[in-house]
Amino acid sequence: MPERRTVALVTLGCARNEVDSEELAGRLEADGWQLVEEAADADVAVVNTCGFVDAAKKDSVDALLEANDLKDHGRTQAVVAVGCMAERYGKELADALPEADGVLGFDDYTDISGRLNTILSGGNVEAHAPRDRRKLLPLSPVERQSGADGVALPGHAQAPENEPADLPEGLAPASGPRAPLRRRMGSSPVASVKLASGCDRRCSFCAIPSFRGSFISRRPSDVLNETRWLAEQGVKEVMLVSENNTSYGKDLGDIRLLESLLPELAEVDGIERVRVSYLQPAEMRPGLIDVLTSTPKVAPYFDLSFQHSAPGVLRAMRRFGDTDRFLELLDQIRGKAPQAGARSNFIVGFPGETEEDVAELERFLNGARLDAIGVFGYSDEDGTEAATYENKLDEDVVAERLARVSRLAEELTAQRADERVGETLSVLVESLDGEDGAFGRAAHQAPETDGQVVFADGAGLTAGRMVEAKVVGTLGVDLVVERVSEEAGR
């Protein structure tokens, strides 16, 4: 019997990309490929790229070049680019980076195995030709579900209902039909689940809708089945991801569908915490705030996409709101759940931004008490409306404002962490370090972005355990905790 071909998936970017990679892994393993962790041990290295901002693009190119170097002194025979950067630039990327043996778009995902086999056999797979994916689905959201046949939606794939029973262990679910075509990569007790793909908003600085397409929700039954399957794989926390979770259900005829889905997800056996990310402030509604702040096992966590707070800048961004409205929203949330977590990202140096606008943003940040803050300096993105704007700021002005607001953000998030000293939190243990070191996250901390919890004494803890702990100190945005009692947790 011939040796199975091996493949390694290198994932960059956001949690949505991680889900896409696990779907690709599921497809490849179902077609007989052997998955390996290290690109050096693989016949082909598949790099799932990020195409969001310049820094992410550079990281993607660096990862492709690094994988290409393995071809000179390792097993690796081919390097293939997939993901957002490949989808967004396609042939342009292939021409600029001949080191990549293939540049595949989302439409190639359904036959990813065939594409890789062709490349490894020395055949030619034509580089992806980019297109505006907003035009692939009906303009009306309610018509999209019936019009989505044949449209590639990464992270949405389901195994056929008549899938053979002898699929590799860990790929086929025990929970019946319509299971995720997904293979977990790693053993973390946390996993992301896609609620939807695409975005209907037209923020002037963002190119994502052009290469991710219009907004389309997954059906609640698919989300539930995938969560059940993940629980069977040992997952304790699921994080719901999409480009805009507050729009979930609008194409299914019920904009309040998330409010009814969350309690069902929280009741899945084995799941200890459900977290929702990527919320639009302009689309927040009282019912959703109520569910997020009062449902057992649903984290009172608000990842709110503010981007700025000065009205003039927000209008130029094609967004809504202002400092006082945003502070009022945060007050509503904390009035229902005082310990609720809140985070956001901000862009400084947007075309036309004045010193008064920056001062207004600083006023908001000082009053918002956010647990985590991401600050980015504006740069033109290909194909966006903002790239055509006049009144661009000099790079040194953008850099100065970025440094200034970043320093403020660091100070404020450290102060917010200090405010939590004395609180008792439910902490999910995620990793161990040595004999007594243990790390985890509380409800107000999402993976990768929001800091972590450090146990003063982690003896006897295991990854995946939920523990009640008291905050006794801070390390910047990180919290130092002590267990309330040896018997606490589950």
Side-chain angles (χ1 to χ4, degrees):
M1 182 176 179
E3 185 179 1
R4 293 170 69 192
R5 282 179 161 173
T6 56
V7 59
L9 285 141
V10 180
T11 306
L12 295 96
C14 65
R16 300 183 296 265
N17 253 19
E18 294 173 6
V19 177
D20 295 352
S21 284
E22 293 195 350
E23 180 189 300
L24 289 173
R27 290 183 183 278
L28 288 166
E29 192 166 55
D31 280 334
W33 289 75
Q34 180 181 346
L35 300 171
V36 295
E37 290 187 11
E38 301 296 331
D41 299 327
D43 295 320
V44 58
V46 176
V47 180
N48 191 351
T49 61
C50 178
F52 183 40
V53 293
D54 285 342
K57 296 173 199 172
K58 183 182 183 302
D59 289 344
S60 296
V61 171
D62 289 347
L64 288 162
L65 292 174
E66 183 179 341
N68 182 70
D69 289 342
L70 298 173
K71 292 192 288 187
D72 295 330
H73 48 76
R75 174 170 178 161
T76 309
Q77 302 170 48
V79 176
V80 174
V82 299
C84 291
M85 190 175 180
E87 175 65 37
R88 185 176 181 184
Y89 294 104
K91 190 175 187 304
E92 181 183 344
L93 175 62
D95 291 342
L97 198 70
E99 292 86 352
D101 299 284
V103 175
L104 308 181
F106 298 154
D107 295 328
D108 294 304
Y109 283 21
T110 55
D111 189 27
I112 186 68
S113 177
R115 301 289 195 272
L116 298 189
N117 275 319
T118 297
I119 291 168
L120 279 179
S121 299
N124 178 58
V125 174
E126 187 173 351
H128 165 66
R131 52 181 174 166
D132 189 339
R133 298 194 73 87
R134 290 171 294 191
K135 299 178 180 178
L136 301 184
L137 292 168
L139 185 63
S140 170
V142 295
E143 296 176 2
R144 289 177 191 161
Q145 293 290 329
S146 59
D149 292 342
V151 176
L153 298 169
H156 291 226
Q158 303 291 326
E161 295 190 16
N162 60 350
E163 193 71 66
D166 59 352
L167 282 176
E169 182 181 356
L171 178 62
S175 53
R178 299 295 293 163
L181 190 58
R182 178 174 179 177
R183 156 63 82 172
R184 290 216 70 207
M185 297 167 63
S187 57
S188 170
V190 183
S192 296
V193 175
K194 273 200 176 182
L195 269 185
S197 281
C199 186
D200 288 340
R201 301 185 71 86
R202 294 295 179 262
C203 301
S204 63
F205 57 84
C206 184
I208 289 176
S210 66
F211 58 86
R212 276 289 183 179
S214 298
F215 185 89
I216 185 165
S217 304
R218 295 181 68 197
R219 294 193 173 275
S221 58
D222 290 343
V223 177
L224 277 164
N225 278 338
E226 184 162 348
T227 300
R228 294 185 185 109
W229 177 80
L230 288 167
E232 291 163 4
Q233 306 301 307
V235 168
K236 299 299 181 183
E237 176 180 325
V238 292
M239 183 167 73
L240 304 180
V241 298
S242 76
E243 280 71 24
N244 177 10
N245 282 331
T246 34
S247 282
Y248 180 69
K250 72 176 186 179
D251 52 323
L252 295 171
D254 185 0
I255 191 60
R256 295 176 177 81
L257 196 55
L258 184 56
E259 285 97 304
S260 58
L261 176 60
L262 284 170
E264 294 184 72
L265 292 171
E267 292 176 0
V268 171
D269 287 343
I271 296 299
E272 298 290 349
R273 179 183 290 154
V274 179
R275 182 184 305 279
V276 184
S277 61
Y278 307 119
L279 300 168
Q280 286 291 340
E283 297 180 30
M284 289 300 295
R285 46 196 179 270
L288 181 56
I289 294 174
D290 287 342
V291 171
L292 287 170
T293 55
S294 65
T295 307
K297 295 189 178 181
V298 173
Y301 175 78
F302 294 81
D303 177 9
L304 294 159
S305 178
F306 290 123
Q307 301 300 342
H308 212 285
S309 73
V313 176
L314 287 168
R315 301 305 174 267
M317 289 178 169
R318 293 199 179 278
R319 298 178 65 84
F320 306 94
D322 55 45
T323 294
D324 293 331
R325 283 190 231 178
F326 291 163
L327 291 176
E328 182 181 353
L329 173 60
L330 291 169
D331 285 345
Q332 291 174 4
I333 290 167
R334 292 179 177 129
K336 295 178 179 294
Q339 287 188 333
R343 75 165 326 274
S344 192
N345 293 325
F346 301 88
I347 298 172
V348 295
F350 195 79
E353 181 190 62
T354 66
E355 278 294 331
E356 290 76 13
D357 293 329
V358 180
E360 184 68 3
L361 174 58
E362 291 171 330
R363 181 171 81 88
F364 170 69
L365 293 175
N366 276 293
R369 297 170 57 232
L370 299 174
D371 293 280
I373 300 170
V375 187
F376 301 89
Y378 173 82
S379 62
D380 286 340
E381 281 296 315
D382 299 332
T384 62
E385 181 182 349
T388 70
Y389 285 178
E390 298 179 352
N391 301 319
K392 299 282 178 61
L393 303 183
D394 290 340
E395 289 185 5
D396 58 344
V397 174
V398 176
E400 185 277 327
R401 291 180 181 179
L402 174 61
R404 172 174 136 201
V405 177
S406 295
R407 285 194 299 270
L408 176 62
E410 186 175 350
E411 294 171 4
L412 293 173
T413 52
Q415 290 174 17
R416 179 66 182 127
D418 288 338
E419 291 178 12
R420 292 193 179 273
V421 173
E423 289 185 1
T424 298
L425 309 173
S426 293
V427 179
L428 176 63
V429 181
E430 287 193 356
S431 61
L432 307 176
D433 181 19
E435 292 184 3
D436 297 329
F439 306 89
R441 287 178 303 100
H444 70 280
Q445 298 168 314
E448 306 296 334
T449 59
D450 298 349
Q452 63 181 352
V453 165
V454 181
F455 284 88
D457 179 10
L461 292 177
T462 55
R465 183 181 177 191
M466 192 71 80
V467 177
E468 297 299 308
K470 183 177 181 178
V471 182
V472 296
T474 64
L475 298 168
V477 297
D478 296 337
L479 305 179
V480 180
V481 301
E482 293 179 350
R483 281 173 280 181
V484 172
S485 70
E486 289 298 320
E487 293 76 26
R490 50 185 182 271

